[in-house]
Amino acid sequence: MTTSALRVIVIGAGLGGLALAQGLRRDGIDVSVHERDASPTSRRQGYRLRLNPDGLHALEELLPPPLSHLVWAATSPQPPTVILDARLDQLSATDPGASADGGRNVAVNRLTLRQILLHGLDDIVHFGKECTGYRIHADSTVTAHFRDGSQATGDVLVAADGVNSAVRRQYLPHARVMDTGVRVIYGRFPLTPETTGLIPDRLFTLYTGIVGPDHQHVGLAPVQYRNPPSDAVARLAPTLDLADTEDYMMCLFSARTELLPHTDAELHRASGQQLRDMAAGITRGWNPLLGSIIALWEPESVFSLTIRSSVPLTPWPTSTVTLLGDAIHAMSPAVGVGANTALRDALTLATQLGKAARGADLVSSLHAYEADMTAYGFDAVRTSARYGQQRIGQAPLPDPTS
């Protein structure tokens, strides 16, 4: 099989799917990406990510050099994670997901990273394409079907469509995604001289976790650029128009559902102001500084999310359909490695598909990817669940022997 003969269909234009597409295009492989959302900004998914050595290495390998250099220029270096109690006394200063190379753990604006990953892919990324299922043909090619009646056929179908993956539901109907029992309210506010002056320097860490009673949790995570991102864009990708390039503080409040004064339906309907007020009310007895910080949250930025986790699976027979990221190993945010694991998937899969494009057996190459991915991916799920129990009170993963 020549490089140009392999056709890959990616379902989902999240970070993992786009990174995979960049790597395949760089290797000369025919790839198309199909995303259900109408645009990159039509749904809020969070504001800030930690990139660890796995994620940074994947981006360096998958992206053309100007874009990988731009990713680094758009990151924000921070000291290690700090965990405090509700009085703001330090409990620990450890980061269970960090490597010994502390300089290779940085913060990045999720939207900025996605914009960089989209750059140069305009002709192959198709928005408004909700995948409803697929069909594997006798010759092992795969056709993806979309709600608008269109379809796409290729040699490989990659499910990168997140925790609600339609492909996974059809392909691995026995795969379980559990509700951890935790809800998170996310918000943010700009870091101006005025707002920065209200926050002690010791809270400007890679991530500051503040643990209250019954595993209630407030998190603070700044994005502060080394240099204006516009300077790097002008030098490395002058046709890219980056949005949202000002310094800001990402904030969150999490609690178990039974500790919240609202049902899930009420949380979903609540305005940003109502969600902010709820977080402020629940934490009123904590250090008064927290109330001042929560009051800074921009109401239009505040939204709630249900925290879910995949339940690790035993291996399945490999075919020309495979999965990456949250579509197969969604995990608690307690360690902050979900996005990095998806990027690692993208590099591992791109490497194996490159081998197949150059003549290796396709299914054997996909099997090698799945063996690696399920090992490190489900290890990350288990680690995240363990720290999630300790830090935010999430329900434990089911006993695999039960």
Side-chain angles (χ1 to χ4, degrees), residues 316-353:
W316 57 87
T318 300
S319 74
T320 49
V321 174
T322 193
L323 311 94
L324 69 73
D326 284 353
I328 184 60
H329 49 57
M331 62 193 74
S332 166
V335 182
V337 296
N340 293 285
T341 308
L343 293 172
R344 183 176 177 181
D345 291 350
L347 176 58
T348 306
L349 181 53
T351 301
Q352 292 298 334
L353 289 174

Side-chain angles (χ1 to χ4, degrees), residues 381-397:
V381 169
R382 295 183 187 98
T383 300
S384 297
R386 184 169 67 252
Y387 279 97
Q389 283 181 257
Q390 296 174 9
R391 290 188 172 175
I392 59 175
Q394 74 175 62
L397 293 174

Side-chain angles (χ1 to χ4, degrees), residues 70 73-74 112 225 227-234 242 244-247:
L70 181 55
T112 297
Y225 297 106
N227 299 293
S230 57
D231 294 349
V233 169
L242 278 186
D244 194 19
T245 57
E246 302 302 317
D247 293 352

Side-chain angles (χ1 to χ4, degrees), residues 9 11 34 131 133-135 142-146 150-154 157:
I9 301 166
I11 306 300
H34 306 264
C131 182
Y134 66 88
R135 179 185 175 193
V142 190
T143 296
H145 299 278
F146 303 102
S150 62
Q151 58 188 38
T153 298
L157 178 68

